[in-house]
Amino acid sequence: MEKKGFIHSLPFKLLCALALGIIVGLALNASDGSALSTAVLNVLVCVKYIVGQFISFCVPLIIIGFIAPSITRLGNNASRMLMVALCIAYVSSIGAAFFATASGYAILPHMAINPEVDGLKELPSPVFALDIPQIMPVMSALFFSVLVGLAAAWNSSKYITNILEEFQGIVLSIVTKFVIPVLPILIGTTFCTLAYEGTITKQLPIFLAIIIIVMIGHYIWLALLYGIAGAYSGRNPMNILKNYGPAYMTAVGTMSSAATLSVALQCAKKSEPTLRSDMVSFGIPLFANIHLCGSVMTETFFVMAVSKMLYGTFPPVSKMILFCLLLGVFAIGAPGVPGGTVMASLGLIISVLGFDETGTALMLTIFALQDSFGTACNVTGDGALSLILTGYAEKHGISEESDEMKKASGSKIA
């Protein structure tokens, strides 16, 4: 895999877009009323609207492209150990989400998140609005993906499965070649308009504080995961955790669990015999694709902060519960690309929580700025879940390298 420097990475591009947007927005604010500033502002508002429409159009495609093929792959290999792995990955993800939700309700009200800012300027309406309707509502795309994926798996429909696999490749190309490249444009224009309105200088420090809080939450959740795994398996989890430094740092640099897989496997193999060798070969590649506890925790905490910042209130508890439960499903089928979790779950953010284009742009920005550490939490947590699998196999008399494990071990390697 070709390694790229930081200046070519998505976070650097987003940081540049963010900084440039703020500078231009503050300049437009200072020169408000002139013919040039009015013309530039009208252009930026139109660009922001069109790019937002394009990303909104892609959301149902992303849902179908990644959720449905993931279900067909898992259904075709639904062995006992695979189902156990799916269950503990889902429980870990929604547990992290509920932990972030409880922390958000406890911490965020005490932070200086003030949506009411005096002296705000009003943005002009787009002079040219290119509407790009979605092919279907996001919830329709979700249910379509689940039903088609399950039906294809139950009927062993190889033709439909192959079509879904190819469609996933097409959607991944759309994401990597179109959606991700235009994200800096959306984020730059969003922060430009926020700076023009006059709120950004007061709100940006809050984002930085929130990122630090989320990172602390990652370490707390990892400690909990490894503690539970050690207690269940009867083995010392520190024998695993002490070897995960290289994998953690690699994940910080690549922002991809799939790209970190080779290093994670090496770190896990150093943890033998605490981890069984067959559980390393089976669990680490699988969890690299379906266990995203760090990313889920980050997204959950951030949606609460952005909701308070932009809309003046936190989402109701009932909506947050539904969001957390569905987000765990989306995490299992999320693409293995930087920001894959939040990209795959944009439909939830829009339909369940009611975010608009500004809210989704802010979510994409702050999520991408710390995505490295969320991925590192995901990768490190895979060792704890593999230890749980080791304990389960021993408690239930599953011998090493059984036929069941051989069939399932390659079921979901990205």
Side-chain angles (χ1 to χ4, degrees), residues 377-395:
C377 179
N378 299 338
V379 170
T380 307
D382 295 345
L385 268 59
S386 297
L387 181 57
I388 294 177
L389 283 183
T390 296
Y392 180 89
E394 292 184 346
K395 290 177 184 293

Side-chain angles (χ1 to χ4, degrees), residues 115-344:
E116 301 295 334
V117 181
D118 296 331
L120 292 181
K121 296 182 182 295
E122 186 175 350
L123 287 173
S125 300
V127 295
F128 174 72
L130 177 62
D131 293 323
I132 311 176
Q134 297 175 334
I135 58 173
M136 67 176 68
V138 290
M139 292 306 293
S140 297
L142 172 60
F143 277 92
F144 176 82
S145 302
V146 172
L147 293 177
V148 170
L150 287 175
W154 291 335
N155 290 278
S156 299
S157 303
K158 294 182 179 180
Y159 182 71
I160 296 299
T161 299
N162 291 335
I163 291 178
L164 291 175
E165 293 287 347
E166 290 193 16
F167 184 67
Q168 184 179 69
I170 293 172
V171 173
L172 181 58
S173 297
I174 293 174
V175 171
T176 56
K177 297 183 183 299
F178 293 97
V179 176
I180 291 179
V182 302
L183 283 181
I185 299 176
L186 176 63
I187 287 160
T189 53
T190 296
F191 274 85
C192 179
T193 55
L194 291 174
Y196 171 79
E197 290 174 329
T199 63
I200 194 61
T201 54
K202 296 182 180 180
Q203 303 289 26
L204 189 58
I206 295 297
F207 284 141
L208 299 178
I210 290 172
I211 289 174
I212 294 174
I213 293 172
V214 169
M215 289 179 61
I216 295 173
H218 290 165
Y219 301 138
I220 294 174
W221 190 251
L222 286 176
L224 180 63
L225 279 182
Y226 275 93
I228 294 174
Y232 176 74
S233 65
R235 301 189 178 194
N236 185 2
M238 290 304 299
N239 293 338
I240 304 169
L241 192 57
K242 68 181 182 181
N243 296 317
Y244 257 85
Y248 187 93
M249 295 308 300
T250 303
V252 169
T254 62
M255 295 188 298
S256 170
S257 297
T260 313
L261 180 57
S262 60
V263 180
L265 281 168
Q266 291 177 354
C267 294
K269 288 183 179 299
K270 290 180 181 179
S271 304
E272 299 172 5
T274 302
L275 289 178
R276 258 176 42 174
S277 60
D278 57 336
M279 296 301 158
V280 170
S281 300
F282 168 70
I284 299 301
L286 177 64
F287 291 132
N289 290 270
I290 67 172
H291 181 227
L292 305 175
C293 60
S295 299
V296 166
M297 179 183 295
T298 300
E299 181 174 343
T300 304
F301 196 82
F302 282 174
V303 294
M304 298 182 69
V306 171
S307 178
K308 177 66 174 177
M309 180 174 294
L310 292 183
Y311 313 122
T313 184
F314 296 116
V317 175
S318 59
K319 287 189 175 182
M320 285 305 302
I321 292 175
L322 176 62
F323 177 78
C324 293
L325 294 174
L326 293 178
L327 185 59
V329 177
F330 273 70
I332 290 177
V337 297
T341 306
V342 71
M343 288 297 300

Side-chain angles (χ1 to χ4, degrees), residues 72-92:
T72 59
R73 287 195 296 264
L74 298 176
N76 290 335
N77 296 278
S79 66
R80 179 166 57 151
M81 288 303 298
L82 182 57
M83 293 308 298
V84 171
L86 284 171
C87 289
I88 61 177
Y90 178 74
V91 169
S92 176

